[in-house]
Amino acid sequence: MLSAALPGCGREDARPALPEAIGSTGQESQCGATLDFQHVEQYDGSFNVTTGFVENRQRPVAQTQWRNDLAARYDNPGDVNGQRWCSGTLISEDLYLTAAHCFREGNGWTFPRDAAGNPIAPAVAAQEMLVRFNYQRAPDNSLRTEQTYTVDALVEFELNGLDVALLRLNGAPGLIHGAARIARNDAATNEPLAIIGHPAGQPKQLSTGNSAGISGNRLNYGNLDTLGGNSGSGILHSETGLLVGVHTNGGCTTTGGNNFGMRIGAVLAASTEITSVLNAQDRVLATFQSQLGREPAESEYVQYVRALSVALAGGSQAELDRVVRGTADVQLVGDFMDLGHDQVLHINRGGSATKIMILDRQSGTAPGTPLYWEEWGQSGLLNGWVDGEDLQLAGDFMNLGYDQVMFINRDGVGGKVMVVDYKAGIVPGTVRAHESWTGPSWLGGWIDDGDLQRVGDFRGLGHDQVMFINRGGIGGKVMVLDYSVSVQPGLLGTQVYSEAWGQSAQLDGWIGDEDLQLVGDFTNLGYDQVMFINRDGTGGKVMVVDYGSGAVPGTVRAHESWTSPSWLGGWIDDGDLQRVGDFRGLGHDQVMFINRGGTGGKVMVLDYAVSVQPGLLGTQVYSEAWGQSNLLLDWLDPNDLLLTGDFRGLNHAQAMFINRAGTGGTAMVVDYVSGTAPGTTVYYEDWASPSWLGGWID
């Protein structure tokens, strides 16, 4: 027998610790003869929204869950220890909107007791819960690895008597999972609605229906199923995707009635915080229109949240313009000064003070040594080459034995490609190659929004080439250009690999928006290959392709499918990091995976040149778990940077962590060559100490 309902949703369903059956007919929140839910990643498009709608709107939705150590900290911990609880939605980088009754005792549950024997207060209850993202089933029905965040504070609670609560989370999860946009007006009667949440505490699911109108503070819906655990879910308008309310209560039966939530108009009238988010949202959307002539693309959800944070903080319009245009500062790694080890070339795109700095940390002494310094206004060479839409690549493109910078201007006027050599240290650098928009070019259709550019010695020529991947679906698909030689007069570079769409199906499913493409000598061939990682949960998962022969479609050197044993469970989720380098000093490249989810493994280095365990691609040559060390604490936040290169001249790669929070450490270089966790710190620089980085990591 089901012994207690989940919080506050009528008598919607049983404890989430029970089996994952959604429930039986006859429950009050079931509208009609059947329960109509679909798992978000298995949605078949048969409800009133598209699959794309669900894919993009499910990211900011999470589940609250009680901590599992209540008995260790309370004499009377109640009966909620570890219980999966309510749902909620991010509306900014750290504000999480949910239902207020989730933090009050009721419906047969017993909260922990305070020293006076009373149920803990809502503000305390909120901090005794964790917020878990990605509790959902993949297309193959496996559970995704959850990402967990703690609660900083209960910011707003039951304002004007509304069943609404607003939490502030630690860790800025919106910069990984995005944020829902808020409607300014209520949904009208019969308009289509969708709810994404955790019915009965289960993995994330979708239900849809229509508005049955508003009554008082309520938004009613009579054909949209909900269950206990859905409390706090955002109510979305199915056509606009905007949040029009917060689900709070069941009330449907198989023969009639309504479920309902708090309507957005009432929420905005009560909440200054949520109104501030809406006003900031309007400002950000207006900036996208003024700067880019459009609303944010679905793939730009992180950029949108960053801009929202600037607007909420009262940032200037110029600052907001820079964020929307993507004019964050640039950091490139390479041996630009021909020293036999890597330096970092910083580009400040702010338009004032210093423009370019090359910083060497080989000595290990903070704050490093600047080897090149160019001020804004000192030279016009880079005017028009470092705007938000432009590209900057590092490599030995001209076969000089050290690295240069390739600038690609995408605005359609003036120069298109320019390679600049900084070895001499003289401003403004030496132009080694140049191509204009009015001249002949290989690049038509290869540098559009969404296209990919990767640098490496793909053909085994002893210097770097550029691989261009056109994701448009027609024309050329993959092209490798060698810029050290120009065979055709007037045409910069030589095409040394060319593959057209339709010529081969090898890369189908490997170059989508969510997929990864890494470059390195993974299989110890003496030149670079491309590692494709498919993150959609079906088909192939990892594929290493060798383009050395120049023959289409390239040679597959390694392959792993989603159904095979794998090291990568929980390492390639949204927000996780992947970097390439010879971290273990093996003479070829490995891949460093960093899981930012906060649980399980934290850092893993895989060597794909050797597979020790039968059926398992690659060998784990470094492993560090969350909780094993505090070395990387505060270095893996969403805004932080991770660069790889031989910064200390050790003849193998190290990882450079840059913390942009403004407190604690500024830059840290960690050497993983020994294979012993947590690695060895070989350079450290503090925000409180003198630093060259002020204004260079915005």
Side-chain angles (χ1 to χ4, degrees):
M1 179 177 292
L2 304 182
S3 59
L6 277 169
C9 300
R11 294 189 296 277
E12 287 189 303
D13 203 5
R15 295 174 183 258
L18 292 174
E20 285 190 2
I22 291 178
S24 59
T25 58
Q27 294 173 318
E28 286 189 321
S29 52
Q30 177 179 315
C31 305
T34 60
L35 278 168
D36 299 311
F37 292 95
Q38 289 195 38
H39 289 275
V40 291
E41 293 191 58
Q42 299 172 7
Y43 174 53
D44 61 10
S46 61
F47 292 172
N48 69 12
V49 293
T50 66
T51 55
F53 177 102
V54 178
E55 178 184 354
N56 294 308
R57 300 310 186 282
Q58 62 86 16
R59 290 191 196 99
V61 177
Q63 181 183 66
T64 48
Q65 181 177 14
W66 285 91
R67 294 176 183 267
N68 62 8
D69 62 347
L70 300 178
R73 295 183 290 107
Y74 290 91
D75 292 336
N76 182 351
D79 60 1
V80 293
N81 191 68
Q83 288 291 341
R84 295 189 181 273
W85 206 239
C86 289
S87 301
T89 308
L90 284 168
I91 59 171
S92 75
E93 71 169 30
D94 59 2
L95 290 175
Y96 179 78
L97 184 62
T98 185
H101 69 252
C102 298
F103 309 102
R104 287 198 184 279
E105 184 178 82
N107 286 342
W109 294 94
T110 302
F111 278 22
R113 265 36 191 174
D114 62 20
N118 299 314
I120 56 175
V124 178
Q127 293 192 315
E128 291 294 0
M129 297 185 196
L130 302 171
V131 177
R132 296 188 180 275
F133 292 83
N134 294 343
Y135 179 48
Q136 58 200 64
R137 293 199 176 278
D140 66 0
N141 214 40
S142 63
L143 283 173
R144 294 287 190 194
T145 300
E146 298 173 51
Q147 292 185 295
T148 303
Y149 297 84
T150 56
V151 176
D152 176 63
L154 179 60
V155 178
E156 291 183 342
F157 183 74
E158 291 185 339
L159 298 180
N160 285 2
L162 296 178
D163 190 359
V164 172
L166 188 65
L167 309 183
R168 189 178 304 280
L169 307 184
N170 294 308
L175 293 174
I176 294 176
H177 304 286
R181 297 185 209 166
I182 303 167
R184 192 169 285 278
N185 300 309
D186 290 314
T189 302
N190 292 325
E191 288 190 325
L193 304 175
I195 286 179
I196 299 173
H198 293 271
Q202 299 174 78
K204 196 184 300 178
Q205 295 174 47
L206 164 76
S207 57
T208 65
N210 296 85
S211 166
I214 61 175
S215 55
N217 292 328
R218 296 181 178 182
L219 171 59
N220 302 296
Y221 25 95
N223 61 347
L224 196 163
D225 294 327
T226 61
L227 295 175
N230 270 125
S231 285
S233 297
I235 308 166
L236 303 175
H237 193 288
S238 297
E239 293 175 348
T240 66
L242 300 179
L243 192 147
V244 293
V246 178
H247 173 70
T248 57
N249 287 79
C252 274
T253 69
T254 56
T255 58
N258 289 318
N259 297 330
F260 64 88
M262 301 292 99
R263 63 182 179 87
I264 195 63
V267 173
L268 291 171
S271 169
T272 57
E273 289 281 351
I274 299 172
T275 299
S276 294
V277 173
L278 176 59
N279 291 335
Q281 169 187 300
D282 289 347
R283 187 180 170 203
V284 169
L285 295 178
T287 304
F288 267 89
Q289 287 292 347
S290 66
Q291 294 297 314
L292 304 180
R294 57 173 174 78
E295 288 204 346
E298 297 293 356
S299 61
E300 294 172 326
Y301 62 92
V302 173
Q303 188 176 351
Y304 165 78
V305 173
R306 283 180 175 150
L308 189 67
S309 298
V310 171
L312 282 168
S316 68
Q317 189 59 46
E319 184 180 4
L320 196 56
D321 290 345
R322 286 197 297 272
V323 173
V324 167
R325 289 199 310 267
T327 52
D329 293 336
V330 176
Q331 301 81 30
L332 301 174
V333 175
D335 183 9
F336 304 104
M337 308 304 290
D338 193 16
L339 300 178
H341 60 268
D342 290 315
Q343 306 95 50
V344 181
L345 186 147
H346 296 267
I347 301 177
N348 165 30
R349 299 202 288 188
S352 61
T354 309
K355 181 188 289 186
I356 297 183
M357 173 180 66
I358 297 177
L359 194 58
D360 183 20
R361 293 182 173 86
Q362 189 271 337
S363 71
T365 302
T369 304
L371 303 178
Y372 180 90
W373 191 276
E374 179 180 339
E375 301 280 345
W376 277 95
Q378 189 174 356
S379 166
L381 180 65
L382 297 187
N383 292 352
W385 294 93
V386 292
D387 299 325
E389 297 295 309
D390 296 335
L391 305 172
Q392 299 83 32
L393 310 173
D396 182 11
F397 306 108
M398 308 308 296
N399 194 18
L400 300 178
Y402 55 89
D403 293 314
Q404 307 94 51
V405 179
M406 177 178 291
F407 298 89
I408 300 178
N409 165 34
R410 301 202 300 166
D411 69 6
V413 296
K416 180 185 283 187
V417 179
M418 178 172 64
V419 178
V420 181
D421 175 5
Y422 290 96
K423 176 184 175 179
I426 300 173
V427 176
T430 303
V431 176
R432 297 292 184 182
H434 186 277
E435 172 183 310
S436 73
W437 272 95
T438 57
S441 176
W442 294 107
L443 298 188
W446 293 94
I447 53 174
D448 299 324
D449 289 342
D451 292 338
L452 304 174
Q453 301 81 30
R454 297 293 186 266
V455 175
D457 183 10
F458 304 104
R459 291 298 314 278
L461 303 178
H463 59 271
D464 290 313
Q465 305 98 52
V466 182
M467 174 177 286
F468 296 88
I469 299 179
N470 164 32
R471 299 201 292 185
I474 57 174
K477 179 189 281 187
V478 182
M479 173 177 66
V480 177
L481 289 185
D482 178 9
Y483 283 91
S484 71
V485 179
S486 295
V487 175
Q488 299 185 38
L491 193 59
L492 183 63
T494 300
Q495 193 180 72
V496 294
Y497 180 88
S498 177
E499 176 182 340
W501 278 96
Q503 190 173 358
S504 167
Q506 183 182 74
L507 298 186
D508 291 356
W510 294 93
I511 53 175
D513 287 343
E514 298 295 312
D515 297 332
L516 305 172
Q517 301 81 29
L518 310 175
V519 174
D521 182 11
F522 305 109
T523 56
N524 197 17
L525 300 179
Y527 55 88
D528 292 317
Q529 306 95 53
V530 182
M531 177 178 291
F532 297 89
I533 300 179
N534 164 34
R535 301 202 300 168
D536 72 4
T538 59
K541 180 186 283 186
V542 179
M543 178 173 64
V544 177
V545 181
D546 172 11
Y547 292 92
S549 72
V552 176
T555 303
V556 176
R557 297 292 182 183
H559 187 276
E560 172 183 311
S561 73
W562 272 94
T563 57
S564 304
S566 177
W567 294 106
L568 299 188
W571 293 95
I572 53 174
D573 299 323
D574 289 342
D576 292 340
L577 303 174
Q578 303 80 28
R579 296 293 187 268
V580 175
D582 183 9
F583 303 104
R584 291 299 315 279
L586 304 178
H588 58 270
D589 291 312
Q590 305 96 53
V591 183
M592 174 179 287
F593 296 88
I594 296 184
N595 163 33
R596 298 202 293 187
T599 59
K602 179 191 286 185
V603 182
M604 173 177 66
V605 177
L606 289 186
D607 179 10
Y608 283 91
V610 179
S611 296
V612 175
Q613 298 185 37
L616 192 60
L617 183 63
T619 299
Q620 191 181 73
V621 293
Y622 178 88
S623 177
E624 177 183 341
W626 279 96
Q628 188 174 352
S629 166
N630 289 326
L631 180 64
L632 299 185
L633 186 67
D634 297 328
W635 294 92
L636 296 177
D637 297 326
N639 274 330
D640 295 336
L641 303 174
L642 174 58
L643 311 176
T644 58
D646 183 11
F647 305 107
R648 289 296 318 280
L650 304 177
N651 296 316
H652 58 264
Q654 305 98 52
M656 178 182 292
F657 299 88
I658 298 179
N659 164 32
R660 301 203 294 179
T663 59
T666 307
M668 176 174 65
V669 178
V670 181
D671 183 9
Y672 291 92
V673 71
S674 72
T676 303
T680 303
T681 301
V682 294
Y683 178 92
Y684 181 84
E685 178 180 327
D686 196 277
W687 273 100
S689 303
S691 175
W692 295 107
L693 295 185
W696 291 96
I697 52 174
D698 300 330

